[in-house]
Amino acid sequence: MKVSMKEARRPVTWGVPLVPWLPSASIAINIFLLGSIDGVSFIRFTVWSAVLLVYYFLFGLHASYDAAKVVTTEAGGGAKALEEGKDTTSSKSGMLEEGQ
């Protein structure tokens, strides 16, 4: 199949190894661990998970959105350059040298 079809584009990002076996084993182990704790510990886990989710949605999500916006603005080409894995820092320094 690889010989007859050309790959559209090679992914630049790293993926999870041993998909779907490693993620499936991780889910099964976590279900086992959550099922083996007592009721008080499960309630404590639930409360802390809720607190951290609220923190994430109020602060973390907003901060990550702002950081992504700054990176795409500085890139000049935006998300397309970042998606293709181009180094935007070298092209920006080249523009500064031309303008001086």
Side-chain angles (χ1 to χ4, degrees):
M1 183 87 175
K2 190 170 183 147
V3 174
S4 64
M5 294 185 68
K6 184 178 178 184
E7 189 173 358
R9 82 178 171 105
R10 185 170 296 266
V12 180
T13 57
W14 180 83
V16 178
L18 302 173
V19 172
W21 308 113
L22 186 62
S24 298
S26 299
I27 291 169
I29 290 169
N30 283 310
I31 289 172
F32 170 75
L33 290 174
L34 284 174
S36 62
I37 60 175
D38 60 342
V40 177
S41 297
F42 191 79
I43 291 171
R44 189 179 309 126
F45 169 76
T46 305
V47 169
W48 274 108
S49 294
V51 168
L52 293 174
L53 279 173
V54 167
Y55 172 78
Y56 172 74
F57 282 115
L58 293 179
F59 178 73
L61 189 63
H62 181 71
S64 63
Y65 173 76
D66 288 345
K69 189 174 181 181
V70 168
V71 168
T72 57
T73 303
E74 289 177 355
K80 181 114 175 112
L82 290 174
E83 183 180 289
E84 293 174 354
K86 294 181 182 174
D87 183 18
T88 57
T89 56
S90 62
S91 62
K92 187 174 180 180
S93 64
M95 285 190 272
L96 289 175
E97 291 172 3
E98 291 173 7
Q100 291 178 351

